[in-house]
């Protein structure tokens, strides 16, 4: 880690120039070693470690800005203690003979080094005050790190750390992270114990999350040595306390789907209540040609550069068997799919499917949300954390689905942040001709295991994810024509009760949805 840090520092210095004595203090500046004080330390200073404002009263100096200071002046020297978020130390500053520069040495819990400063404005004589209000606001109080076995804040989020940005995803007590390094670890109370690797380094780190959920304080050990590793959260922390189901920020309406009752017309009910009469007065479909059914089932477990998953391939295998045996699908299963595998199969469907066909795409694997680019991604098995070149974007999937001729397409996505594909939707009244109307209209829909949130890789029965377990159970037990909305209503509540994720069902944005529904026709 020390070698890596030195390399980073040298690179930055080469590109932009470091804040050193030569950049703050001009050549020829003199510092007398003794004598009575001529110039006051009062004023605002640009320093090696941020802007500082000093106020001098007699021989006493207090300061604020990047740190809080308190010290005493002796001759042309200021000896002070200082305090920051995670640092406590002492510094001795010498003021230059012209009163415009400071040269100092610091010692703290983080080490020791040089500290230089250049005054903003004119020199101030002893006993005088700088013009205007020159005191800077103090730094925020240091974060508090309590020892507790109860986790209050999630580690999920983007963190600015000592060694670059880190993006953590927490699912249950497990955390994996990407950035300059790949992390995999476990939560114990308010601590994360993780292994990390990358750039020729393999090590372990223990992070302690602050009481406000905005800071990490850690210590690393690796083949390069050991040291401190701290981080600050970008954005707001995520509470681990029970909360209402999350709503996709991209949805124009709440995701609770309302179904109008055909008998009453104006009464409504939520789909997460028992679905007892959803097929009342609806045709049995015996007079409808539903077309051929195809399924692409993807299960990615053995990631080459990201944490390995445990249940994706088992989920894919069991689901594929049910679709083939019970519903008559022509099933293609791909384990550990690359970007080329996924896009290649979609291209094949684009060339071969007709307007009478139906296509189901199931994906179980890692997913990612690029907040800056407002884009969601599936991560193929060979994806790396530091390059998007092998990722599969939602927009590329949407574009392909719009071009595929199949009348009905349903994506079932069991991955983190899969809700990015969706938009809000309300369900049409279910009259007696409901099946014929849904079968005749084009459909592009997505059933996702969660919204814009991490989802669990395990927790379901039979070595399945929570979402896949509910999906498989529902399809096994079904004995009638099942549409996408009914499937969603049957699996939503079990998933919510057994995990911290909320499934969503909606039209796929900009993919050519025409008001139809994907229909599962039981054949066995």
């Amino acid at each position: 880690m020390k070698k890596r840090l030195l390399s980073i520092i040298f690179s930055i210095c080469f590109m932009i120039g470091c804040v050193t004595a030569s950049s703050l203090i001009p050549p020829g500046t003199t510092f007398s070693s003794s004598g009575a004080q001529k110039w006051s330390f009062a004023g605002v200073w640009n320093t090696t470690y941020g802007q500082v404002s000093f106020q001098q009263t007699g021989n006493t100096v207090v300061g604020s800005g990047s740190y809080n200071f308190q010290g005493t002046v002796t001759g042309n020297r200021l000896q002070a203690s200082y305090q920051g978020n995670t640092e406590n130390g002492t510094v001795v500053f010498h003021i230059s003979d012209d009163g415009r520069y400071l040269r100092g040495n610091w010692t703290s819990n983080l080490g020791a080094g040089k500290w230089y400063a250049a005054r903003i404005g004119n020199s101030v004589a002893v006993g005088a005050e700088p013009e205007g209000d020159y005191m800077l606001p103090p730094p925020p109080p240091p974060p508090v790190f309590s020892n507790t076995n109860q986790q209050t804040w999630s580690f999920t989020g983007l963190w600015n750390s000592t060694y670059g940005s880190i993006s953590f995803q927490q699912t249950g007590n497990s955390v994996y992270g990407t950035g300059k390094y790949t992390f995999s670890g476990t939560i114990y109370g308010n601590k994360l114990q993780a292994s990390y690797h990358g750039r020729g380094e393999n090590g372990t780190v223990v992070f302690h999350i602050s009481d406000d959920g905005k800071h990490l304080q850690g210590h690393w050990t690796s083949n390069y040595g050991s040291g401190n590793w701290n981080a600050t959260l970008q954005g707001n922390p995520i509470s681990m306390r029970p909360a209402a189901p999350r709503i996709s920020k991209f949805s124009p309406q709440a995701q609770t789907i309302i179904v109008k009752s055909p008998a009453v017309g104006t009464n409504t009910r939520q789909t997460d209540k028992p679905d007892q009469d959803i097929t009342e007065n609806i045709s049995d479909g015996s007079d409808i040609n539903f077309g051929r059914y195809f399924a692409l089932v993807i299960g990615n477990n053995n990631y080459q550069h990201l944490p390995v998953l445990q249940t994706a391939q088992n989920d894919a295998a069991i689901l594929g068997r049910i679709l083939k045996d019970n519903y008559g699908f022509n099933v293609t299963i791909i384990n550990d799919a690359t970007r080329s595998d996924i896009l290649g199969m979609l291209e094949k469907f684009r060339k071969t499917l007709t307007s009478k066909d139906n296509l189901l795409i199931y994906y179980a694997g890692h997913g990612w949300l690029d907040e800056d680019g407002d884009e969601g991604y599936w991560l193929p098995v060979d994806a790396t954390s530091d390059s998007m070149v092998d990722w599969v974007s939602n927009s590329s999937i949407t574009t392909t689905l719009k071009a595929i001729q199949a009348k009905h397409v349903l994506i079932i996505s069991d991955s983190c942040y899969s809700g990015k594909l969706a938009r809000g939707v309300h369900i049409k009244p279910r009259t007696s001709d409901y099946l014929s109307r849904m079968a005749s209209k084009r459909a592009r829909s997505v059933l996702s295991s969660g919204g814009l949130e991490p989802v669990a890789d395990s927790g379901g029965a039979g070595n399945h994810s929570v979402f896949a377990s509910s999906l498989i159970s529902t399809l096994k037990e079904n004995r009638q024509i099942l549409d996408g909305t009914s499937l969603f209503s049957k699996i939503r509540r079990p998933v919510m009760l057994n995990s911290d994720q909320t499934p969503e069902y909606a039209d796929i944005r900009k993919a050519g949805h025409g008001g139809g529904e994907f229909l599962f026709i039981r054949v066995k």
Side-chain angles (χ1 to χ4, degrees):
M1 187 73 75
K2 292 179 180 178
K3 293 179 181 178
R4 179 176 76 239
L5 180 58
L6 288 174
S7 175
I8 294 171
I9 292 173
F10 291 153
S11 299
I12 295 174
C13 289
F14 179 77
M15 291 186 291
I16 64 174
C18 289
V19 182
T20 62
S22 60
S23 61
L24 281 174
I25 302 177
T29 302
T30 58
F31 294 81
S32 298
S33 59
S34 62
Q37 183 184 10
K38 179 180 179 181
W39 302 107
S40 173
F41 284 85
V44 181
W45 304 80
N46 279 331
T47 86
T48 312
Y49 303 106
Q51 204 168 79
V52 172
S53 176
F54 286 133
Q55 185 177 30
Q56 181 173 345
T57 304
N59 290 333
T60 301
V61 171
V62 294
S64 60
S66 55
Y67 297 89
N68 284 327
F69 296 81
Q70 186 168 0
T72 303
V73 175
T74 304
N76 59 2
R77 294 194 311 166
L78 166 62
Q79 184 169 345
S81 60
Y82 67 91
Q83 183 180 28
N85 279 345
T86 58
E87 184 177 5
N88 295 280
T90 59
V91 61
V92 177
F93 283 120
H94 287 234
I95 195 167
S96 63
D97 293 345
D98 60 5
R100 298 180 62 189
Y101 304 98
L102 301 179
R103 183 177 66 185
N105 293 281
W106 62 270
T107 302
S108 79
N109 56 306
L110 299 182
K114 302 291 185 182
W115 201 336
Y116 304 101
R119 185 189 292 275
I120 298 175
N122 298 322
S123 301
V124 179
V126 172
E129 289 289 331
E131 296 180 358
D133 183 8
Y134 62 91
M135 290 302 293
L136 298 174
V144 177
F145 296 86
S146 300
N147 288 319
T148 174
N149 293 325
Q150 182 68 38
Q151 185 183 7
T152 303
W153 302 103
S154 172
F155 282 81
T156 295
L158 184 61
W159 300 82
N160 290 328
S161 87
T162 311
Y163 302 105
S165 294
I166 304 171
S167 183
F168 281 135
Q169 291 187 40
Q170 179 177 342
T171 304
N173 289 331
S174 299
V175 172
Y176 78 87
T178 56
K180 291 184 178 179
Y181 304 91
T182 299
F183 299 80
S184 180
T186 304
I187 302 293
Y188 300 94
N190 58 359
K191 293 182 180 180
L192 165 61
Q193 184 172 339
S195 59
Y196 69 91
H197 64 88
R199 300 173 181 261
E201 183 174 3
N202 294 282
T204 59
V205 61
V206 177
F207 284 118
H208 190 170
I209 195 166
S210 63
D211 292 0
D212 62 4
K214 298 180 179 180
H215 304 275
L216 299 180
Q217 189 177 70
H219 189 83
W220 60 270
T221 302
S222 79
N223 51 311
Y224 284 138
S226 62
N228 295 321
W229 198 340
N230 301 321
T232 301
L233 179 67
Q234 289 188 23
N236 297 321
I238 300 173
S239 175
M240 295 298 292
R241 299 184 181 93
R246 297 174 183 172
I247 302 300
S248 167
K249 67 179 181 180
F250 300 99
S251 300
Q253 303 163 353
Q255 288 298 306
T256 300
I257 295 178
I258 304 301
V259 180
K260 292 185 178 180
S261 169
V264 180
T266 57
N267 291 341
T268 61
R269 58 188 174 87
Q270 295 182 352
T271 59
D272 56 358
K273 295 182 180 179
D275 200 6
Q276 298 174 345
D277 62 349
I278 203 163
T279 57
E280 286 182 0
N281 301 318
I282 294 178
S283 163
D284 63 3
S286 59
D287 57 341
I288 302 171
N289 181 4
F290 293 103
R292 301 181 301 172
Y293 280 76
F294 296 84
L296 171 61
V297 180
I298 300 167
N300 283 357
N301 268 2
N302 302 303
Y303 279 84
Q304 300 171 16
H305 310 291
L306 299 174
V308 171
L309 297 180
Q310 302 301 319
T311 65
Q313 289 186 4
N314 187 49
D315 296 344
I318 302 303
L319 178 63
R321 185 187 310 156
I322 291 173
L323 292 176
K324 179 182 178 181
D325 295 345
N326 296 2
Y327 293 89
F329 279 73
N330 184 332
V331 178
T332 300
I333 296 179
I334 304 179
N335 288 327
D336 297 334
T338 65
R339 173 185 169 87
S340 177
D341 292 333
I342 296 172
L343 296 184
M345 281 303 302
L346 293 180
E347 180 65 20
K348 178 181 177 181
F349 288 132
R350 179 177 178 176
K351 293 178 179 179
T352 59
L353 298 189
T354 72
S355 60
K356 295 181 180 181
D357 294 327
N358 305 270
L359 173 62
L360 184 148
I361 301 170
Y362 175 83
Y363 173 79
H366 282 310
W368 193 246
L369 173 65
D370 178 12
E371 293 185 351
D372 293 336
D374 191 22
E375 181 72 278
Y377 294 86
W378 288 347
L379 303 186
V381 73
D382 55 349
T384 60
S385 61
D386 56 357
S387 174
M388 296 182 179
V389 67
D390 292 319
W391 300 7
V392 178
S393 68
N394 287 175
S395 58
S396 66
I397 297 171
T398 299
T399 300
T400 303
L401 295 187
K402 190 173 183 180
I404 288 177
Q405 294 301 307
K407 183 177 295 182
H408 296 157
V409 178
L410 174 64
I411 291 180
I412 302 179
S413 182
D414 190 3
S415 69
C416 297
Y417 308 110
S418 51
K420 182 65 179 70
L421 276 165
R423 68 182 179 192
V425 64
H426 279 264
I427 304 306
K428 300 175 179 63
R430 295 180 173 236
T431 57
S432 59
D433 64 343
Y434 174 77
L435 286 180
S436 61
R437 287 190 293 110
M438 294 301 100
S440 64
K441 294 181 179 180
R442 187 174 167 94
R444 297 292 185 271
S445 305
V446 58
L447 173 58
S448 63
S449 57
L452 301 184
E453 62 204 46
V455 300
D457 177 42
S458 58
N463 192 31
H464 295 297
S465 74
V466 173
F467 175 79
S469 178
S470 183
L471 173 66
I472 290 169
S473 175
T474 299
L475 290 175
K476 272 186 177 180
E477 296 171 2
N478 175 59
R479 292 295 184 270
Q480 60 189 10
I481 297 177
L482 182 70
D483 64 11
T485 302
S486 299
L487 175 63
F488 166 67
S489 72
K490 292 176 184 294
I491 70 174
R492 180 172 181 262
R493 179 171 288 278
V495 174
M496 290 173 60
L497 291 175
N498 291 285
S499 69
D500 294 324
Q501 62 200 66
T502 304
E504 294 185 356
Y505 179 71
D507 309 338
I508 299 176
R509 304 182 302 168
K510 301 179 181 180
H513 181 73
E517 274 272 25
F518 195 94
L519 303 170
F520 292 84
I521 313 299
R522 182 90 184 197
V523 297
K524 179 182 178 182

